[in-house]
């Protein structure tokens, strides 16, 4: 080998190694086991006070179930039913929730993306439900089905996100009555991670279950969780027919549901953190218990949506101290009942991706990690109180989740002895940059954010003075340019499209949810 050839070979080797170091890795991180110490702000006596207050609400105030099927189910289960009011004995509630699995595994269509939920196992799930998008040009507008596909593609490529969710944004270019079919297909098609199922009506939920049966198999669903439904309560103390019907569709097929009271602290709950938690706890327990009336052993998740209300304007607020306190308390209550629990993550009320958005989101992200939440929903994109999903914020939030994941793993001790040995090698006044241990571990020793700029102001200015929003949008464009679709099985894909076509013929196109067809 000539000297020039050897030099080219060495240079090529360096280039190849550099390419490997700088190439983006889109593989999903393994399911998170949260090793952070839990922040528990109540002692045992206070947990019992919340529990007993909730049981008093269930027994003496009652929960309104605005659904004749649920009322009949409760009568058969032994509850006291007066008109639409259901009064639940505490022993009945505790017996019912005892059959909820404390842990289970979500099965994705790519088995490598299966994740465990419950105990100290957590998942990050993007936001859903935004009627507006801030797009790749940072323009706020109505979304389309193509925009929804963009978010599902980004979800697929962000390693810390465990799910593609469902209607991250509302696709306005499809009729409301048929929209759930295309949303579900998009979740399935553009990502092979787990996803959520629409519960906007009982009929819609049944369609989702049928599509899941096509993708995974009816028998497989009997023993494996493949999707998640969310059922929101109408606080204070009401569960309606739409949500209860959707809950039955999921539970009968043994698919998990989030039982989520919708809290606007001070407006639909008392103006007190402990009393709000007592009411929310009663509402969640009533729905969790009902899941077991529907089908014993069906997986269910203690849910909630938390915000506090500005007494100046009536607007919901995010990132407040009380929301963090309630997350800590709800985590304690869920562990008291030995059920997995859901929270909301990077929420914010800011109108753009500004400092307010960052502060609000990071405050809640830190709290939910230290609260030990399991199903960490609304983890990417949420802004303007959920009115829009921002592509820029989506990718930054996802990186923040990756940072939280790294923090929750705890200190890594595997190379402690070698690292300490480097101290004697380097000695006083030296540096570690060229040390063998540093060279072997620098890529994984400390998290290196891609979307934060930590260079000098001179270098930042020389590179165009790019702020975080534009930097994030550039990153999103690069991701989408490198996206590779995880192909559906051709036979299942054809069957799904045939099912959608048939249901779109059966369901009249209308600007309202399908409740009948």
């Amino acid at each position: 080998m000539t000297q020039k050839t050897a030099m080219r070979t060495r240079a090529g080797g360096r280039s190849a190694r550099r390419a490997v170091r700088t190439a983006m890795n889109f593989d999903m991180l393994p399911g998170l086991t949260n090793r952070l110490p839990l922040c528990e702000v109540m002692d045992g006596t206070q947990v019992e006070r919340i529990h007993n207050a909730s049981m008093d609400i269930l027994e003496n105030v009652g929960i309104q179930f605005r659904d004749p099927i649920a009322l009949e189910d409760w009568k058969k289960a032994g509850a006291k039913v007066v008109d639409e009011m259901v009064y639940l004995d505490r022993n009945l509630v505790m017996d019912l929730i005892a059959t909820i699995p404390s842990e289970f595994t979500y099965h994705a269509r790519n088995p490598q993306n299966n994740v465990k939920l419950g105990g100290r196992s957590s998942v990050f799930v993007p936001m859903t439900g935004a009627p507006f998008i801030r797009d790749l040009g940072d323009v706020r507008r109505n979304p389309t089905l193509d925009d929804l596909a963009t978010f599902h593609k980004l979800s697929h490529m962000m390693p810390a996100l465990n799910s593609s969710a469902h209607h991250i944004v509302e696709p306005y270019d499809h009729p409301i009555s048929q929209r759930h079919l295309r949303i579900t297909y998009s979740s399935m098609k553009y990502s092979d991670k787990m996803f959520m199922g629409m519960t906007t009506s009982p009929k819609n939920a049944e369609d989702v279950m049928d599509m899941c049966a096509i993708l995974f198999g009816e028998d497989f669903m009997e023993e494996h969780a493949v999707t998640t439904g969310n059922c929101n309560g109408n606080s204070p103390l009401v569960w309606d027919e739409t949500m209860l019907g959707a809950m039955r569709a999921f539970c009968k097929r043994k698919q998990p549901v989030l039982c989520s009271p919708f809290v606007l602290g001070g407006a639909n709950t008392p103006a007190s953190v402990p009393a709000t938690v007592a009411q929310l706890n009663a509402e969640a327990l009533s729905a969790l218990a009902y899941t077991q009336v529907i089908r014993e052993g069906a997986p269910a998740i203690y849910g909630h949506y938390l915000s506090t209300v500005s007494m100046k304007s009536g607007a919901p607020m995010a990132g407040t101290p009380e929301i963090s306190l309630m997350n800590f308390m709800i985590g304690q209550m869920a562990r008291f009942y030995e059920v997995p629990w859901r929270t909301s993550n990077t929420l914010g009320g800011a109108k753009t991706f500004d400092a307010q958005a960052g502060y609000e989101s990071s405050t809640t992200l830190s709290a939910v990690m230290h609260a030990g939440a399991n199903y960490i929903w609304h983890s990417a994109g949420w802004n303007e109180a959920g009115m829009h999903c921002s592509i820029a914020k989506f990718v930054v939030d996802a990186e923040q989740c990756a940072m939280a994941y790294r923090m929750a793993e705890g200190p890594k001790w595997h190379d402690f002895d070698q690292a300490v040995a480097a101290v004697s090698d380097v000695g006083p006044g030296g540096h570690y940059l060229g040390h063998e241990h540093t060279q072997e571990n620098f890529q994984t020793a400390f998290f290196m954010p891609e979307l934060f700029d930590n260079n000098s102001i001179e270098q930042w200015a020389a590179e165009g003075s790019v702020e975080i929003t534009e930097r994030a949008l550039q990153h999103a464009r690069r991701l989408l340019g490198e996206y590779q679709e995880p192909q559906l099985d051709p036979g299942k894909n054809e069957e799904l499209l045939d099912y959608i076509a048939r249901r779109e013929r059966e369901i009249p196109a209308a600007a309202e949810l399908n409740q009948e067809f």
Side-chain angles (χ1 to χ4, degrees):
M1 180 184 296
T2 67
Q3 184 176 3
K4 288 184 177 180
T5 301
M7 291 175 65
R8 284 196 299 269
T9 301
R10 287 195 295 272
R14 285 195 298 271
S15 298
R17 289 191 293 273
R18 188 181 303 112
V20 170
R21 287 198 303 270
T22 58
M24 289 189 289
N25 181 6
F26 306 126
D27 293 340
M28 193 182 86
L29 292 169
L32 173 61
T33 300
N34 188 341
R35 295 183 172 87
L36 292 174
L38 296 170
C39 183
E40 300 196 328
V41 295
M42 298 187 290
D43 60 27
T45 301
Q46 292 165 332
V47 170
E48 288 287 349
R49 287 187 70 183
I50 296 290
H51 170 73
N52 288 326
S54 299
M55 293 301 163
D56 286 342
I57 292 170
L58 292 173
E59 290 178 335
N60 301 313
V61 180
I63 304 290
Q64 189 173 34
F65 280 77
R66 296 176 179 171
D67 175 58
I69 297 175
L71 293 170
E72 191 60 33
D73 288 342
W74 276 122
K75 288 178 184 177
K76 293 177 181 177
K80 177 184 175 182
V81 179
V82 180
D83 297 324
E84 290 185 332
M85 295 302 298
V86 177
Y87 301 90
L88 295 171
D89 176 81
R90 64 188 64 202
N91 293 321
L92 175 61
V93 171
M94 296 302 288
D95 286 345
L96 286 169
I97 66 171
T99 60
I100 296 173
S102 59
E103 297 179 354
F104 60 88
T105 297
Y106 278 109
H107 292 261
R109 69 176 173 95
N110 177 358
Q112 292 183 342
N113 292 333
N114 293 352
V115 283
K116 187 177 178 181
L117 189 89
R120 299 310 306 270
S121 299
S122 303
V123 298
F124 291 109
V125 181
M127 78 157 291
T128 62
F132 295 95
I133 180 178
R134 275 196 176 272
D135 61 18
L136 285 166
D138 200 32
V139 175
R140 185 182 183 274
R141 59 173 174 80
N142 289 136
T144 65
L145 191 61
D146 285 342
D147 294 319
L148 178 61
T150 291
F151 282 113
H152 287 157
K153 292 172 184 178
L154 290 172
S155 300
H156 179 68
M157 301 181 79
M158 307 307 292
L161 297 181
N162 303 111
S163 171
S164 60
H166 46 30
H167 67 317
I168 296 174
V169 290
E170 286 285 350
Y172 278 80
D173 53 344
H174 278 68
I176 293 174
S177 60
Q178 301 172 349
R179 195 175 288 172
H180 63 288
L181 299 165
R182 297 291 175 174
I183 291 168
T184 303
Y185 180 69
S186 182
S187 301
M188 293 174 167
K189 175 181 173 65
Y190 294 111
S191 174
D192 58 10
K193 299 179 181 180
M194 70 166 179
F195 55 90
M196 297 185 71
M198 299 292 288
T199 54
T200 40
S201 79
K203 292 292 186 183
N204 290 358
E206 290 169 8
D207 283 338
V208 171
M209 291 294 95
D210 288 346
M211 292 177 71
C212 287
I214 292 170
L215 185 61
F216 293 99
E218 189 78 50
D219 293 341
F220 188 85
M221 291 172 64
E222 275 291 305
E223 301 298 333
H224 304 88
V226 301
T227 189
T228 311
N230 179 60
C231 297
N232 282 325
N234 296 331
S235 299
L237 308 174
V238 174
W239 290 95
D240 68 32
E241 186 174 22
T242 296
M243 291 289 94
L244 293 168
M247 184 183 293
R248 284 191 291 272
F250 273 68
C251 290
K252 286 177 180 178
R253 308 283 271 272
K254 290 197 76 174
Q255 294 307 302
V257 289
L258 310 170
C259 301
S260 303
F262 196 91
V263 169
L264 300 169
N268 62 7
T269 71
S272 156
V273 166
T276 291
V277 173
Q279 177 189 305
L280 178 157
N281 190 55
E283 294 166 336
L285 289 173
S286 66
L288 288 166
Y290 185 55
T291 66
Q292 303 307 292
V293 172
I294 299 167
R295 184 163 183 184
E296 183 177 327
I301 299 167
Y302 184 136
H304 64 75
Y305 172 81
L306 292 178
S307 68
T308 51
V309 170
S310 169
M311 295 304 169
K312 296 179 182 179
S313 65
M317 299 184 293
T320 62
E322 291 77 19
I323 291 174
S324 294
L325 288 171
M326 285 190 277
N327 269 307
F328 298 144
M329 296 168 75
I330 292 163
Q332 286 187 256
M333 298 313 299
R335 288 187 289 275
F336 178 76
Y337 301 118
E338 297 183 347
V339 293
W341 68 287
R342 162 249 161 145
T343 190
S344 300
N345 192 3
T346 55
L347 304 186
K351 312 309 175 283
T352 62
F353 186 25
D354 58 8
Q356 177 183 332
Y359 282 128
E360 289 172 327
S361 296
S362 62
T363 297
T364 307
L365 171 59
S366 178
V368 302
M369 297 308 296
H370 288 90
N374 302 119
Y375 196 97
I376 308 176
W377 194 8
H378 302 315
S379 285
W382 181 289
N383 221 5
E384 196 190 341
M387 289 297 291
H388 80 252
C389 185
S390 158
I391 288 181
K393 189 171 185 291
F394 192 94
V395 296
V396 175
D397 284 347
E399 185 172 77
Q400 287 288 292
C401 290
M403 294 173 73
Y405 181 106
R406 174 64 196 92
M407 179 178 70
E409 287 182 306
K412 296 181 178 179
W413 291 86
H414 66 283
D415 62 338
F416 178 73
D417 292 336
Q418 299 95 306
V420 169
V423 177
S424 59
D425 293 341
V426 172
H431 70 78
Y432 293 83
L433 296 176
H435 192 275
E436 181 181 0
H437 178 268
T438 304
Q439 294 295 308
E440 291 177 354
N441 293 278
F442 77 93
Q443 287 182 277
T444 57
F446 306 107
F447 193 100
M448 292 183 285
E450 292 188 43
L451 297 175
F452 289 179
D453 189 307
N454 296 296
N455 295 321
S456 68
I457 191 168
E458 291 82 9
Q459 184 173 346
W460 176 73
E463 293 175 352
S465 305
V466 180
E467 296 276 5
I468 183 66
T469 298
E470 180 54 34
R471 192 160 56 248
L473 291 173
Q474 291 173 2
H475 183 68
R477 294 185 195 105
R478 180 185 172 192
L479 287 172
L480 293 169
E482 297 190 24
Y483 171 79
Q484 294 183 354
E485 184 178 318
Q487 296 295 319
L488 281 163
D489 173 85
K492 292 180 179 179
N493 186 51
E494 183 177 357
E495 193 173 352
L496 285 166
L497 292 174
D498 287 346
Y499 181 88
I500 292 169
R502 175 173 66 81
R503 291 295 287 143
E504 287 183 340
R505 290 192 300 271
E506 295 169 348
I507 302 170
E512 59 186 17
L513 293 169
N514 176 40
Q515 301 280 5
E516 182 179 355
F517 298 95

